[in-house]
Amino acid sequence: MSRTPIISGNWKMNLNHFEAIQTVQKLHYSLPKEVHDSVDVSVHPPFTDIRSVQTVIEADDLDIILGAQHCHWEPTGAFTGEISPAFLAKLDVKLVICGHSERRDLFGETDEMVNRKVKAIFQHGMTPIMCCGESLAEREAGETEAKVLGQVAAGLEGLQAEQVASMVIAYEPIWAIGTGKTATADDAQAVCQAIRVAVAASFGADTAGAVRIQYGGSVKAGTTEELMAQPDVDGALVGGASLDPEEFSRIVQFAAG
Ligand code: PGA
């Protein structure tokens, strides 16, 4: 089954709304038309930028998918500072990252919370990019698969096969995020393959053949080609390198092949 590659820029808490507008415009115009046709490209700005980025994407008809970095599971209520998935959907957000390791480690998100968010994102007509990944200590202890597959099973619990087929899973080894260290292409492939095998066991071969799996962790233009050549790596979740539209554009172009 052929899967359209998907490259997502996770801007984290970087770029104010003026900078975000410029970045998304530069990114769009630096990509040749045929690349836009063959790769899905999303940006995930900070919440304060989303309305501005939505407006420019719609006004200039940019071929960039609008994303968010996380959300709450409830649509409204007494959750000071939280972000409603219903409000994101109103802003035409299509893809929402959930369970990023920074959310898990710094803000205490549990597997159960991630599962509730995944369901809420679907309920509001959007698509989750659900993150998973092991720490360095877990990798060194030989626990990578157990950790990652545990997170995947918990995050997908109770979903329909069609939902899983339509979503994105991002494998991001924590030790590779923002550190300049990347998993080797072979290591990334091994874990992405293990995720696909686990999805097949729970949701069937068709679902496993359709779900898109990204690798994330210090992805740069120079490492993209080898990663994308792996049969189970369908894209990348890019942090630091997505802040520079030229570097990000080169990553997207490598993903287009
Ligand atoms: P990085 O971040 O590319 O800066 O390592 C990736 C991520 O956290 O999604």
Side-chain angles (χ1 to χ4, degrees):
M1 176 173 307
S2 78
R3 297 176 290 269
T4 305
I6 178 163
I7 305 292
S8 302
N10 174 11
W11 293 352
K12 310 192 180 186
M13 201 171 72
N14 297 292
L15 306 181
N16 65 41
H17 71 288
F18 293 115
E19 295 163 334
I21 289 171
Q22 289 178 346
T23 305
V24 76
Q25 283 175 324
K26 278 192 193 154
L27 173 64
H28 173 86
Y29 291 111
S30 67
L31 290 170
K33 164 101 180 65
E34 59 279 9
V35 170
H36 281 295
D37 291 343
S38 59
V39 184
D40 288 340
V41 183
S42 65
V43 293
H44 301 254
F47 293 112
T48 47
D49 303 359
I50 287 181
R51 176 70 174 143
S52 307
V53 174
Q54 178 213 7
T55 305
V56 80
I57 287 177
E58 286 180 5
D60 296 359
D61 201 14
L62 305 186
D63 216 349
I64 305 279
I65 301 167
L66 182 57
Q69 297 175 16
H70 97 117
C71 66
H72 198 266
W73 53 85
E74 292 292 344
T76 54
F79 302 103
T80 302
E82 273 298 337
I83 307 293
S84 155
F87 300 171
L88 291 179
K90 268 267 182 262
L91 288 167
D92 276 339
V93 165
K94 305 283 187 240
L95 280 166
V96 185
I97 298 170
C98 57
H100 190 281
S101 63
E102 286 153 18
R103 300 294 319 171
R104 293 178 190 261
D105 290 352
L106 304 175
F107 302 102
E109 276 187 22
T110 62
D111 281 342
E112 199 227 329
M113 290 158 84
V114 173
N115 180 246
R116 292 173 85 167
K117 288 174 187 217
V118 167
K119 288 175 178 158
I121 292 163
F122 275 124
Q123 242 164 40
H124 293 281
M126 301 178 290
T127 301
I129 297 181
M130 188 187 79
C131 303
C132 55
E134 82 288 2
S135 67
L136 188 57
E138 287 160 344
R139 170 158 286 256
E140 284 171 349
E143 292 164 4
T144 298
E145 275 200 17
K147 171 69 183 289
V148 169
L149 299 186
Q151 287 179 327
V152 170
L156 301 184
E157 199 179 312
L159 295 186
Q160 307 295 319
E162 315 83 80
Q163 291 177 317
V164 178
S166 71
M167 68 185 281
V168 181
I169 298 173
Y171 166 56
E172 297 205 301
I174 298 168
W175 49 270
I177 296 177
T179 58
K181 295 183 192 147
T182 32
T184 64
D186 285 350
D187 282 345
Q189 162 59 21
V191 180
C192 291
Q193 183 181 36
I195 294 171
R196 203 177 299 284
V197 168
V199 169
S202 303
F203 296 95
D206 287 351
T207 302
V211 65
R212 291 186 289 178
I213 305 177
Q214 294 176 318
Y215 168 81
S218 298
V219 172
K220 304 271 182 297
T223 53
T224 306
E225 200 173 5
E226 206 190 347
L227 277 168
M228 292 302 299
Q230 305 306 313
D232 288 298
V233 178
D234 304 313
L237 182 55
V238 185
S242 72
L243 301 175
D244 172 355
E246 279 160 26
E247 172 83 3
F248 192 46
S249 161
R250 280 196 292 276
I251 291 174
V252 174
Q253 292 183 59
F254 276 123

